[in-house]
């Protein structure tokens, strides 16, 4: 991830906050599974999501659509609430 002029590197021992924004599904999957191939990471994230009924219920209540190619900002917040930051 490139650092823009508005971002700064965290000091030693300081945790960098995960940016809450819209992400293409594959990009978010690669953040959770960096050692996997793109397609395997995406399948793994989808499997984790479907194995967590409270997550899926909350996503569906907020307009999640499985055929959309990206997670909206609100959906990313919900995923982070259930799985934590990658």
């Amino acid at each position: 991830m490139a650092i823009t002029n508005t971002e700064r590197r965290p000091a030693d021992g300081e945790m960098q906050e995960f940016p809450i924004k819209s992400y293409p599904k594959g990009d978010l999957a690669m953040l959770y599974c960096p050692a996997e191939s793109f397609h395997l990471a995406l399948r793994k994230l989808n499997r984790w999501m479907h194995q967590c009924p409270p997550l899926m219920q909350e996503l569906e209540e907020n307009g999640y659509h499985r055929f959309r190619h990206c997670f909206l900002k609100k959906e990313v917040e919900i995923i982070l609430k259930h799985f934590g930051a990658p």
Side-chain angles (χ1 to χ4, degrees), residues 10-72:
D12 290 339
E14 181 183 339
M15 294 297 292
Q16 185 175 8
E17 189 173 316
F18 185 78
I20 306 294
K21 62 179 187 174
S22 177
Y23 284 91
K25 288 182 177 181
D27 290 357
L28 188 62
M30 289 300 295
L31 290 173
Y32 277 103
C33 308
E36 306 292 352
S37 71
F38 180 84
H39 295 288
L40 185 57
L42 188 55
R43 284 198 335 234
K44 189 178 277 192
L45 179 60
N46 282 326
R47 184 173 53 245
W48 292 347
M49 289 172 57
H50 286 91
Q51 290 175 348
C52 184
L55 167 64
M56 291 306 298
Q57 180 179 352
E58 193 171 350
L59 285 172
E60 289 167 5
E61 289 169 358
N62 284 278
Y64 173 72
H65 192 274
R66 70 185 189 124
F67 294 114
R68 193 180 308 127
H69 292 269
C70 67
F71 290 114
L72 302 177

